Amino acid sequence: MKINDRKPILFEKSDHNIWTDPYIQQQMLKKHLDLHSDEASRRQEYIVKIVNFILQHAKPKSRSLDLGCGPGLYTSHLADEMHTVTGIDFNKASIEYATHKRKDIEYILGDYIMNYPTGQYDLVTMIYCDMGTHSDRDRDKLLKNIYHSLTDNGIFIFDIFSEGIINDRQEGKSWEYEPSGGFWNESEYLLLSQTFHYPRDKAFAYQYNLIVEDTIKQFIVWERYYSEKEITDLLKKIGFRKISIHKNLLGKNNFTSSSEMFIVTEK
């Protein structure tokens, strides 16, 4: 049993994934559905604010695609406003919950990087700073797919962390012992966590060693942040236009950081 304590190569992928691990994805679903917490999805009051923000910029009754839709907390609101909605996520537990909850919404279990949904959309959304979890290469591939899937004058709305996130993060190590199980496993476990910063590449890596009895699982989660110029130049390079950046949409909140930007851009 070997603990990995080295600094990962930029955007290195771990053997295990918190969104597809059979036990952890169930715990993620529970956190999604806790509307008083910002841990996996935002609290209900902020979800409503974000949905209203989306509706202000989207055309009525749009054909909408939500990337990383989770259990359908945003798609359900859009469907209530007469949008024709598709959602995709690779958390099986979330998709099964969402499909059972709403039969009038198309849900897809899949990886939107590798298997981007076919079809044309008037609106594409990606909420909860998902853009920052991907390598630059995967991000560029995704942005090109989003652009080509949008109808003329179609809208893409997403959020990302700004450079201010560095004031809410610091490199370090910690450990967590759960004698009766918890978020990471139903049995007794020890979790060793490390945070690494890559200032030149504007990214953080969160590396976890999960020790259960005589086994160990290793997870890495990435978090990329951007300057306003960087994200604007990136979107223009893809072909997007009419880019607007919205800060302090939610004010100070209990999300992992309040230093976030909501981006609205048009094809």
Side-chain angles (χ1 to χ4, degrees), residues 142-156:
L142 175 62
L143 284 173
K144 289 175 183 177
N145 283 332
I146 291 169
Y147 182 84
H148 291 300
S149 74
L150 284 169
T151 55
D152 290 341
N153 305 118
I155 301 293
F156 175 38

Side-chain angles (χ1 to χ4, degrees), residues 48-207:
V48 171
K49 282 186 179 181
I50 293 168
V51 169
N52 288 336
F53 175 78
I54 292 170
L55 293 172
Q56 288 171 13
H57 292 90
K59 292 181 289 187
K61 300 181 181 180
S62 290
R63 288 167 291 173
S64 303
L65 171 65
D66 188 23
L67 302 172
C69 65
L73 301 180
Y74 295 90
T75 50
S76 58
H77 283 285
L78 294 175
D80 288 342
E81 296 295 328
M82 305 303 293
H83 285 234
T84 301
V85 185
T86 299
I88 180 170
D89 201 294
F90 63 177
N91 183 323
K92 184 179 179 182
S94 288
I95 288 295
E96 287 178 347
Y97 174 90
T99 302
H100 177 75
K101 193 79 173 176
R102 294 289 292 258
K103 302 298 183 184
D104 58 331
I105 299 172
E106 179 187 8
Y107 285 110
I108 301 169
L109 174 62
D111 180 345
Y112 56 65
I113 298 290
M114 302 302 296
N115 302 109
Y116 190 87
T118 58
Q120 292 285 291
Y121 303 96
D122 306 305
L123 169 68
V124 176
T125 55
M126 175 186 277
I127 306 300
Y128 208 73
C129 296
D130 273 18
M131 185 71 73
T133 64
H134 304 298
S135 69
D136 289 1
R137 180 178 179 180
D138 284 350
R139 175 207 62 200
D140 291 350
K141 177 182 178 181
L142 175 62
L143 284 173
K144 289 175 183 177
N145 283 332
I146 291 169
Y147 182 84
H148 291 300
S149 74
L150 284 169
T151 55
D152 290 341
N153 305 118
I155 301 293
F156 175 38
I157 299 176
F158 65 104
D159 57 345
I160 53 173
F161 287 116
S162 69
E163 294 170 303
I165 193 176
I166 63 175
N167 299 316
D168 302 318
R169 296 284 186 276
Q170 61 181 9
E171 290 191 311
K173 298 181 179 182
S174 64
W175 63 275
E176 171 189 341
Y177 172 60
E178 292 291 346
S180 302
F183 175 82
W184 291 87
N185 196 276
E186 60 188 338
S187 304
E188 177 186 27
Y189 67 80
L190 177 65
L191 182 73
L192 307 177
S193 306
Q194 293 171 284
T195 298
F196 299 97
H197 189 201
Y198 303 71
R200 187 181 67 180
D201 301 289
K202 296 184 178 177
F204 286 94
Y206 308 104
Q207 182 167 267

Side-chain angles (χ1 to χ4, degrees), residues 36-49:
H36 301 289
S37 169
D38 291 307
E39 286 191 66
S41 293
R42 292 184 179 87
R43 285 178 287 171
Q44 180 65 21
E45 62 187 284
Y46 295 128
I47 291 174
V48 171
K49 282 186 179 181

